[in-house]
Amino acid sequence: MNSKKLTAFAAIIFFFLSSFSIILINVKRDKPKTANKKPNILLIMADDMGYSDIGCYGSEIKTPNLDRLAQKGIRFKEFYNGARCCPTRASLITGLYPHQTGIGHMSNDPEDSTAFNYGTPAYQGYLNKKCVTIAEVLKSSGYETLMSGKWHLGYHGKEKWPLQRGFDKYYGILAGATNYFNPSGARGLTLMDEVAEPTGQNYYTTDAFTDYAIQFIKENRQQNTKPFFMYLSYTSPHWPLNAFKTDIDKYRGKYKMGWNKLRTERFAQMKKMGIIDQNVKLSLQDGADWDKLSDEQKDEMDYRMAIYAAQIDRMDQNIGRVLSELEKSGQLDNTLIMFLSDNGACAEGGNLGMGLKENLGTKKGYALSYGQSWANASNTPFRKFKHWVNEGGISTPLIVSWPKSIAKSLNGKFANQYGFLPDIMATLIDVAGAKYPTTYQGNNIMALEGKSLVPAILGKEQTIHQEPIFWEHEGNSAVRLGNFKLVKEFKNVNTDRWELYDLAKDRSEVNNLATLIPKKVKELSQAYGKWAKMVGVLPYDEVLKFRKNKQKKE
């Protein structure tokens, strides 16, 4: 080959090698934008919603989007929250027991910076620095951390707010509740770290929380290559009863059969769906006698329940909007979605609810509730309500969807293990490949209490909890180990008595076994005592004395 041909051949080789190098450089440069292996995470929480209040858990309320998640994912029959708004949120977001975080009772009120602070670390009323939030942990693992909705973990001082506890963006209410149409004053809106105002004539918190969630998710996709963690914390269906007429009209008149019949119908549907086992009995009715109400009262109670149902319906519509955005952007398959409620249905307001009936169906009112009688139906088939730690107070639906990782053969199935709130943090750390710290910003961090739910989500039969798990709220106490649950209701320190139930046979806590199996009562009560001492539980009679003395001084 002559020199001219060699030169030409070398030029051709150089051209192809240069072009190939450019392609490799471009592939390497573009890879982070298109190949994100870590899943996005969407954690959705409802507020004061009962165990049987959505379609895929036996309800007549229309929730097609949650039902869709359940049919393309997996459901837990036995998952537990913390019986009340603040303790649940504290435990959910830290992976610890609420007392360990500083919220052993509730977080401080907007109106009172010292409320629920009883002078001990376990009862200071806001998150301490010995815990880390999911946002703080996932942020250190390369996630953009987003939140929209209810915070309720500390109000007085911005150092207690979401942006200072690991979130990159936030919109919502810092307090525990507000009027859905007109959030204002101390219970108004916050955008990032600043006061915000409701916009538009048809402002509605459930819609607005969703608007910002979608906006934040879009901005994440457009502005950076990080996976996102979105905590979407609705206030629905927490009182006040506020809903749009178009949503209320779907349910008006459908509840004139009364709460007894509604419980019976839901109970039958739950058994048919496999949500509860055939051996479960319906707990005793715990409300007013429907047949003794006047026609006017029946009409009012139908209206209250219709509004409550409309609030859940609207929440589901909005969850559908988020799912549509993820689907449209091609992110749905690799997004882990979890949905749960913060406590059982709320019985506050007495048997027939609270608030003026004249405010029903309007944009007025703050303290409007549907009452204990309907709450009893919402918690079908269980005993008790929000505040208590019987199954009706702490049982929540848990729906998990993750199309990329959950086998299609598991779609619509149920997990056979039980879990509780701290497991959420452990699970998200697991799927994100994150590391839970021993120290953070110069503070020693308490050891994580939860266990990853990933084996259960992927259909494995291994037991999640081989150790006891515990609850305490307002003196109401419980411990579960295996199928046995020990529980007591606080009445006063001299009359409290432990009750023992075998949940494999008696999930609705009808047959008390305490006198039949005293050794199990002793074993579990001793375990509870050690735990209560470890986390700093105050005897509730001491809490009541503290509050009484505080009120006298004021």
Side-chain angles (χ1 to χ4, degrees):
M1 186 179 291
N2 59 35
S3 60
K4 287 184 178 180
K5 289 182 177 179
L6 283 173
T7 301
F9 181 76
I12 292 169
I13 294 297
F14 177 78
F15 172 79
F16 277 103
L17 288 175
S18 299
S19 300
F20 186 64
S21 297
I22 292 170
I23 291 169
L24 286 177
I25 290 169
N26 285 336
V27 168
K28 187 175 181 181
R29 186 176 294 151
D30 290 341
K31 188 175 181 180
K33 293 182 180 179
T34 58
N36 172 27
K37 293 183 179 179
K38 289 187 177 183
N40 298 312
I41 297 168
L42 173 59
L43 178 60
I44 308 173
M45 176 164 276
D47 195 353
D48 282 13
M49 190 191 80
Y51 183 79
S52 68
D53 271 336
I54 56 177
C56 53
Y57 277 76
S59 180
E60 73 295 333
I61 299 172
K62 303 301 181 185
T63 56
N65 295 295
L66 288 171
D67 298 348
R68 169 191 170 195
L69 287 178
Q71 287 305 314
K72 293 189 176 181
I74 195 164
R75 280 166 287 177
F76 281 71
K77 297 179 184 179
E78 298 179 66
F79 197 82
Y80 293 111
N81 51 43
R84 190 87 176 271
C85 306
C86 305
T88 282
R89 284 166 170 73
S91 193
L92 172 78
I93 208 166
T94 65
L96 301 173
Y97 286 103
H99 305 78
Q100 293 175 301
T101 74
I103 303 181
H105 189 182
M106 294 282 281
S107 64
N108 305 148
D109 289 335
E111 296 85 358
D112 182 359
S113 63
T114 65
F116 304 105
N117 185 335
Y118 304 136
T120 70
Y123 294 83
Q124 67 180 27
Y126 55 89
L127 292 180
N128 60 37
K129 297 292 180 143
K130 294 181 180 180
C131 63
V132 285
T133 68
I134 293 175
E136 288 167 334
V137 174
L138 293 187
K139 193 171 184 176
S140 68
S141 188
Y143 276 74
E144 184 175 27
T145 53
L146 313 168
M147 180 178 175
S148 186
K150 174 176 171 176
W151 176 241
H152 213 193
L153 291 172
Y155 186 89
H156 297 274
K158 289 187 177 181
E159 72 278 2
K160 303 178 180 70
W161 295 7
L163 296 194
Q164 284 61 246
R165 294 309 307 244
F167 286 95
D168 293 311
K169 295 179 181 179
Y170 172 70
Y171 173 84
I173 62 168
L174 298 171
T178 188
N179 181 286
Y180 288 65
F181 294 109
N182 185 30
S184 59
R187 298 182 182 276
L189 298 165
T190 298
L191 175 59
M192 302 300 279
D193 268 342
E194 304 300 329
V195 174
E197 297 295 333
T199 55
Q201 290 185 340
N202 289 318
Y203 181 91
Y204 190 71
T205 52
T206 306
D207 295 351
F209 295 162
T210 308
D211 291 342
Y212 274 91
I214 291 172
Q215 177 183 320
F216 292 162
I217 289 171
K218 283 183 176 179
E219 291 171 352
N220 167 268
R221 188 177 72 254
Q222 295 165 354
Q223 296 174 3
N224 61 60
T225 59
K226 294 179 180 180
F228 69 78
F229 164 60
M230 164 58 73
Y231 176 30
L232 179 50
S233 180
Y234 289 113
T235 54
S236 178
H238 190 295
W239 51 261
L241 296 173
N242 291 146
F244 288 109
K245 185 178 184 301
T246 52
D247 294 324
I248 299 170
D249 286 347
K250 298 178 188 178
Y251 300 97
R252 193 74 164 97
K254 291 188 176 182
Y255 293 106
K256 289 192 174 181
M257 87 286 267
W259 31 76
N260 287 346
K261 188 173 181 182
L262 181 63
R263 291 183 84 220
T264 302
E265 290 179 354
R266 287 192 180 185
F267 186 56
Q269 180 67 6
M270 294 169 84
K271 284 193 172 185
K272 182 179 178 181
M273 297 173 73
I275 296 294
I276 54 174
D277 296 337
Q278 294 298 318
N279 62 4
V280 172
K281 296 179 180 178
L282 185 61
S283 63
L284 293 176
Q285 195 270 335
D286 194 357
D289 186 338
W290 179 266
D291 292 334
K292 292 183 179 179
L293 300 184
S294 67
D295 289 344
E296 184 179 356
Q297 286 176 313
K298 289 178 180 178
D299 185 67
E300 178 186 335
M301 296 312 296
D302 167 79
Y303 202 177
R304 287 179 184 270
M305 184 62 192
I307 299 173
Y308 177 87
Q311 291 176 196
I312 294 174
D313 186 307
R314 190 77 177 195
M315 176 178 65
D316 183 81
Q317 293 175 46
N318 276 280
I319 291 170
R321 292 174 57 209
V322 181
L323 297 181
S324 294
E325 170 59 28
L326 294 174
E327 198 164 29
K328 183 174 64 177
S329 62
Q331 294 175 291
L332 186 61
D333 279 358
N334 196 31
T335 299
L336 170 65
I337 303 173
M338 307 180 86
F339 171 87
L340 71 164
S341 180
D342 67 343
N343 44 250
C346 177
E348 293 165 1
N351 274 333
L352 304 183
M354 61 186 176
L356 297 174
K357 66 178 181 180
E358 290 78 12
N359 287 336
L360 296 173
T362 74
K363 294 184 178 182
K364 298 178 181 178
Y366 174 65
L368 279 168
S369 74
Y370 73 160
Q372 180 170 314
S373 302
W374 284 128
N376 188 213
S378 288
N379 286 335
T380 302
F382 304 135
R383 287 174 55 195
K384 294 297 182 179
F385 318 91
K386 171 184 178 180
H387 295 264
W388 287 271
V389 295
N390 293 89
E391 294 293 284
I394 59 176
S395 295
T396 174
L398 175 62
I399 303 170
V400 183
S401 172
W402 189 9
K404 182 178 179 181
S405 296
I406 297 176
K408 289 185 178 180
S409 61
L410 295 174
N411 288 176
K413 304 291 187 182
F414 300 102
N416 292 320
Q417 299 87 355
Y418 66 86
F420 75 144
L421 288 167
D423 298 337
I424 301 294
M425 167 75 98
T427 303
L428 299 191
I429 288 173
D430 191 356
V431 301
K435 185 177 179 180
Y436 184 83
T438 56
T439 61
Y440 185 78
Q441 296 183 347
N443 300 296
N444 292 326
I445 302 301
M446 287 175 282
L448 186 65
E449 294 286 352
K451 302 289 181 67
S452 175
L453 300 172
V454 168
I457 292 169
L458 299 183
K460 297 180 181 179
E461 293 295 325
Q462 67 190 67
T463 301
I464 297 172
H465 289 285
Q466 297 182 350
E467 75 294 336
I469 57 177
F470 305 91
W471 295 264
E472 189 280 331
H473 182 66
E474 296 183 336
N476 301 309
S477 310
V479 51
R480 177 168 179 175
L481 178 60
N483 291 329
F484 284 104
K485 178 183 175 185
L486 195 67
V487 61
K488 67 179 176 181
E489 175 186 348
F490 179 81
K491 295 177 181 176
N492 66 64
V493 71
N494 297 316
T495 62
D496 290 352
R497 294 289 184 273
W498 287 111
E499 298 175 0
L500 179 68
Y501 298 99
D502 181 350
L503 298 185
K505 300 176 182 177
D506 183 23
R507 181 83 193 280
S508 49
E509 300 170 320
V510 172
N511 185 24
N512 180 11
L513 304 174
T515 59
L516 298 177
I517 317 178
K519 286 185 179 180
K520 184 60 68 173
V521 175
K522 182 178 180 181
E523 173 195 348
L524 295 181
S525 62
Q526 287 179 344
Y528 176 86
K530 290 179 182 178
W531 169 81
K533 184 176 181 181
M534 179 192 77
V535 301
V537 172
L538 284 176
Y540 198 57
D541 57 325
E542 292 184 21
V543 170
L544 294 175
K545 287 178 184 176
F546 188 98
R547 295 175 71 180
K548 188 175 182 180
N549 291 334
K550 181 177 180 287
Q551 290 169 354
K552 284 181 179 178
K553 291 178 182 178
E554 292 174 347

